[in-house]
């Protein structure tokens, strides 16, 4: 249920998409949002979890980087 609630909250605040990763150990949800909306997205998930009496989630921002490539 936590994953579904997180997904719904993220989509409601304008995430382009979200999915679960690492579900074998509780997992996490990764969402694609505009950088200036990252704090709003995290707050929306915290608020939704609070309303549902779930444990408080941990949020952090990840910045994409260049993909793997051969070093010379």
């Amino acid at each position: 249920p936590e994953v579904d609630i997180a997904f719904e909250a993220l989509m409601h605040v304008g995430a382009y998409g979200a999915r679960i990763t690492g579900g074998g150990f509780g997992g996490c949800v990764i969402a694609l949002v505009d950088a200036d909306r990252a704090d709003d997205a995290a707050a929306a998930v915290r608020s939704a979890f609070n309303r549902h009496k779930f444990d408080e989630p941990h949020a952090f921002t990840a910045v994409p980087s260049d993909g793997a490539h051969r070093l010379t």
Side-chain angles (χ1 to χ4, degrees), residues 4-70:
D4 292 334
I5 295 300
F7 175 81
E8 290 170 11
L10 289 161
M11 297 307 290
H12 184 72
V13 295
Y16 294 105
R19 65 172 294 155
I20 188 172
T21 182
F25 293 97
C28 65
V29 174
I30 185 168
L32 181 61
V33 298
D34 289 321
D36 62 347
R37 300 293 313 268
D39 290 338
D40 294 336
V45 174
R46 277 193 301 275
S47 178
F49 273 41
N50 189 342
R51 282 194 310 277
H52 286 85
K53 309 263 190 269
F54 296 151
D55 291 340
E56 184 169 348
H58 302 281
F60 61 92
T61 302
V63 179
S65 62
D66 292 337
H69 60 279
R70 184 178 299 240

